Amino acid sequence: YFLREMFVFERIELLFKRMPQLARAVYPKKVKLVEVGPRDGLQNEATFVDTESKIELIHKLAKAKMPVIECTSFMPPKVIPQLADSRLVSSRIIKEPSTKYIAFAPNVNAVKMAKEAKYDGISFMVTGCEETVKKNLNVTIPQLITNMKDVVREAKASNMSARAYIGFAMGSEYTANPDPKCINDIAHKLIDMQVDEVVLQDNIAAGTLEKLDALLAELTIPREKIGVHLHDTKYIGMDMLLLAMSKGISIIDCAVAGLGQCYYNKSMLGNMVTEDLLFALDCMGIEHGVDWKILLDAGDTICEKMTRENCTDAFDVDFEEELDDYKKKYQNCLLYTSPSPRDATLSRMPSSA
């Protein structure tokens, strides 16, 4: 796709021309970014990153004032070999007061390890596709949610927050179009369990603008408790993110340098690139609180050690000097975009596949 070759601002500009209702939308004044690079990113990379480099990455992300960092996963090493050193990494993190540190903990024992490592919170995943959970875990969705009650209970008893991913929320290998009503039902059950955030996760980049719009229209839990974990594999991640923010979503997952490749094609981009996201937010005047200079250094450093390309294209310019120009271009973009009724539907959207 040619879109990946386009500068971040050009992608936003093109989207607003195609979908003027997004140009006229009201966006959050401030968002909360959840940096998933050290966990979800590194576990999906082919290169094993040494313990010191993982710790250095986490420290730099915290110095950049990243609000939340998902640091590692307490899964068995045979399941997630790239994070086999999770306990060692966790024991050596020097925490910054401005950052919340969380770890992926899918069972009670994992929660206990997170407590021992003094994490602020845990995350876990349930699945939004019945067929997927049956194939992968040999349980039903209700059984999986019941199993997670003990996880949340243990986290809360340990004064840790609980973050739940609804995996495959927009499709899986077995279910192309999950029922939004089913996703909404799962979300309510999670909130009833005292989960703090419910994150819509697009594991295999099955999401489209139409699917996301239908899903958000169906969700009836408080907007401030909903997060999105989107992929940019089809180069519509930024489009979907703007749509989510236009619907009141302000919790966004991202990965520094684009760590974490595509689930089903390792040569393709996966997680939303943090640096690109920062540039878009700054252009739009949306507050995020992250120091982009330190963040850029964090991304460059980890990519150097992994001998991989940094997936960002937002910082190919002299960001500090040119940001004001791009802010003006953004305002001009809003001015020349044709007005559209606030209740415009997405029926006019071009295909996202």
Side-chain angles (χ1 to χ4, degrees):
Y1 287 84
F2 75 95
L3 280 176
R4 187 59 205 164
E5 301 304 319
M6 297 177 69
F7 186 57
V8 174
F9 178 81
E10 292 172 324
R11 293 172 66 185
I12 297 173
E13 188 177 34
L14 178 62
L15 175 66
F16 283 177
K17 286 179 179 178
R18 287 162 40 214
M19 296 171 55
Q21 65 268 37
L22 288 187
R24 299 296 174 182
V26 177
Y27 292 93
K29 293 181 179 179
K30 182 178 182 179
V31 296
K32 180 172 81 173
L33 303 184
V34 180
E35 175 58 54
V36 301
R39 196 280 294 183
D40 185 57
L42 293 183
Q43 77 175 24
N44 287 306
E45 290 285 343
T47 303
F48 179 83
V49 176
D50 64 272
T51 301
E52 291 298 330
S53 295
K54 287 173 181 167
I55 295 168
E56 181 186 17
L57 173 62
I58 293 167
H59 285 168
K60 286 192 174 188
L61 291 170
K63 289 289 185 185
K65 295 184 171 55
M66 187 61 68
V68 184
I69 304 173
E70 191 178 48
C71 300
T72 192
S73 169
F74 289 114
M75 293 278 283
K78 64 179 180 181
V79 179
I80 309 290
Q82 303 294 46
L83 302 180
D85 55 354
S86 60
R87 297 188 80 166
L88 181 57
V89 168
S90 300
S91 69
R92 294 174 58 187
I93 297 172
I94 300 172
K95 296 183 172 68
E96 296 284 341
S98 61
T99 295
K100 181 179 178 180
Y101 300 80
I102 64 175
F104 190 80
N107 54 54
V108 171
N109 285 337
V111 176
K112 289 178 178 178
M113 286 188 274
K115 178 185 178 181
E116 181 185 340
K118 295 181 171 53
Y119 277 103
D120 300 303
I122 58 99
S123 58
F124 65 91
M125 189 177 84
V126 297
T127 304
C129 296
E130 188 72 56
E131 191 66 20
T132 301
V133 74
K134 285 180 180 176
K135 294 275 188 182
N136 292 343
L137 300 175
N138 197 30
V139 296
T140 64
I141 289 176
Q143 288 171 332
L144 179 60
I145 292 173
T146 298
N147 294 344
M148 291 299 108
K149 286 183 179 179
D150 288 339
V151 170
V152 177
R153 191 177 296 117
E154 183 68 27
K156 293 297 178 176
S158 304
N159 294 316
M160 290 188 290
S161 64
R163 179 176 220 252
Y165 296 105
I166 301 182
F168 306 99
M170 284 174 274
S172 72
E173 304 98 316
Y174 310 106
T175 306
N177 297 293
D179 184 357
K181 291 182 179 179
C182 176
I183 303 296
N184 185 50
D185 182 58
I186 293 170
H188 276 276
K189 284 182 168 64
L190 291 168
I191 293 296
D192 290 344
M193 289 162 51
Q194 304 304 309
V195 165
D196 299 282
E197 291 178 2
V198 175
V199 184
L200 305 175
Q201 188 169 29
D202 185 21
N203 303 62
I204 64 168
T208 64
L209 291 161
E210 294 86 351
K211 285 183 182 180
L212 180 59
D213 187 57
L215 185 51
L216 291 174
E218 189 66 39
L219 278 182
T220 53
I221 65 172
R223 278 298 194 255
E224 65 269 17
K225 291 183 176 289
I226 304 173
V228 287
H229 182 115
L230 304 171
H231 284 190
D232 208 18
T233 304
K234 297 176 182 176
Y235 315 117
I236 60 163
M238 190 69 72
D239 299 19
M240 293 172 67
L241 177 59
L242 289 174
L243 172 62
M245 289 196 297
S246 78
K247 302 294 182 179
I249 306 304
S250 60
I251 303 171
I252 305 167
D253 286 10
C254 51
V256 64
L259 293 175
Q261 296 161 316
C262 176
Y263 178 84
Y264 59 83
N265 186 337
K266 297 300 182 184
S267 67
M268 296 176 72
L269 189 66
N271 288 318
M272 285 292 302
V273 182
T274 306
E275 293 90 331
D276 290 3
L277 176 55
L278 289 187
F279 185 87
L281 293 172
D282 279 333
C283 281
M284 298 173 72
I286 298 174
E287 185 183 345
H288 51 73
V290 179
D291 186 318
W292 61 266
K293 287 183 178 178
I294 300 176
L295 184 85
L296 181 58
D297 178 58
D300 284 343
T301 300
I302 192 66
C303 287
E304 219 173 279
K305 293 187 176 182
M306 296 172 68
T307 61
R308 83 188 280 282
E309 182 184 355
N310 188 325
C311 292
T312 183
D313 63 2
F315 293 92
D316 291 340
V317 297
D318 188 332
F319 186 84
E320 192 167 26
E321 291 184 6
E322 298 194 23
L323 178 58
D324 285 342
D325 289 339
Y326 278 98
K327 285 181 177 179
K328 291 173 184 175
K329 287 181 180 180
Y330 175 76
Q331 292 302 320
N332 289 336
C333 177
L334 297 183
L335 288 174
Y336 66 64
T337 304
S338 301
S340 178
R342 286 302 306 273
D343 61 348
T345 67
L346 299 180
S347 60
R348 298 187 298 278
M349 286 185 178
S351 172
S352 304

